């Protein structure tokens, strides 16, 4: 069975600090997908990134970057120069695809609080 | 246009009642899902339907009955509501054979008193 661990329950940083959110996954599948979603205080789930298991290239999108390392089963997320608007709960998720459904297994989330 | 819309946004009801949450997607996706987020923010899949066929049923009590009249709609009916059913319920959709991300609705906060 798949498992996603986000060991950091809550992180507090001051604006402009860099912060890394850790994600470790367990899976027996050779083909799988990894995701990050953001849940701001308003409650909706906002998609940030999807990665497949064959693509270990790191990705950067503005202030966001992701580090995928199969050797350590990790998919960490870094926010550079954090802003108050980054305050949210961030979920890492693992998915296998059966051809008819994508079953996402979520981690327990990391609550990020960015203060002035 | 909202891609995945679910109604109502808030639902407050008494124990023992029966209630429904509706979900509709206009993305042309073939697969829809229900997820439950508990008070500790833990998100867990409940059901998935592909083209009106039940694909995933994650040991959810049979008081919960999903219904998919067509591939754009997936409703969730809950019988004999219990206090422990209080949670946020998210509907989602995806195009499963393209391994795409899930698009989530804005959630329905269910409070059972």
């Amino acid at each position: 069975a798949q498992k996603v661990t986000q060991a950091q329950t809550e992180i507090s940083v001051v604006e402009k600090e860099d912060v890394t959110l850790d994600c470790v996954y367990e899976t027996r599948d050779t083909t799988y997908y990894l995701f990050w979603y953001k849940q701001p205080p308003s409650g909706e789930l906002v998609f940030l990134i999807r990665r497949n298991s064959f693509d270990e290239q790191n990705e950067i999108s503005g202030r966001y970057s992701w580090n995928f390392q199969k050797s350590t089963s990790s998919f960490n997320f870094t926010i550079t120069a954090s802003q108050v608007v980054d305050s949210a709960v961030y979920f890492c998720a693992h998915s296998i695809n059966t051809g008819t459904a994508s079953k996402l297994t979520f981690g327990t989330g990391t609550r990020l609080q960015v203060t002035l | 246009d909202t891609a995945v819309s679910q109604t109502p946004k808030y639902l407050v009801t008494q124990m023992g009642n029966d209630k429904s949450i509706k979900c509709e997607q206009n993305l042309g996706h073939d697969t829809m899902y229900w997820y439950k987020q508990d008070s500790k923010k833990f998100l867990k899949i409940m059901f998935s339907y592909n083209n009106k066929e039940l694909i995933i049923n994650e040991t959810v009590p049979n008081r919960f009955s999903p219904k998919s009249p067509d591939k754009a709609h997936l409703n969730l009916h809950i019988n004999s509501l219990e206090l422990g059913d209080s949670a946020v319920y998210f509907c989602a959709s995806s195009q499963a054979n393209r391994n795409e991300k899930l698009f989530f609705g804005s959630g329905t906060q269910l409070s059972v008193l």
Side-chain angles (χ1 to χ4, degrees), chain A residues 1-50:
Chain A
Q2 295 76 35
K3 185 179 176 183
V4 178
T5 301
Q6 294 180 255
Q8 303 149 309
T9 306
E10 194 158 342
I11 301 175
S12 288
V13 298
V14 177
E15 206 177 37
K16 295 184 183 153
E17 284 185 15
D18 299 346
V19 58
T20 295
L21 282 59
D22 298 332
C23 174
V24 174
Y25 62 92
E26 295 174 30
T27 185
R28 292 182 182 176
D29 303 284
T30 53
T31 302
Y32 54 88
Y33 300 84
L34 298 168
F35 299 78
W36 278 94
Y37 278 85
K38 173 183 179 179
Q39 188 173 41
S42 51
E44 72 272 23
L45 287 160
V46 179
F47 167 80
L48 296 178
I49 189 170
R50 180 188 71 137

Side-chain angles (χ1 to χ4, degrees), chain B residues 55-112:
Chain B
I55 300 298
I56 296 173
N57 182 344
E58 286 287 304
T59 59
V60 178
N62 57 16
R63 297 183 296 104
F64 289 78
S65 52
K67 285 192 172 47
S68 182
D70 55 61
K71 71 175 190 176
H73 295 84
L74 179 62
N75 304 323
L76 183 65
H77 189 75
I78 316 171
N79 288 330
S80 304
L81 278 155
E82 300 177 358
L83 293 176
D85 297 331
S86 296
V88 180
Y89 293 84
F90 285 96
C91 177
S93 73
S94 74
Q95 190 61 27
N97 62 359
R98 290 207 294 265
N99 306 318
E100 288 185 348
K101 66 185 183 188
L102 268 62
F103 289 76
F104 284 87
S106 56
T108 295
Q109 175 133 20
L110 172 64
S111 299
V112 182

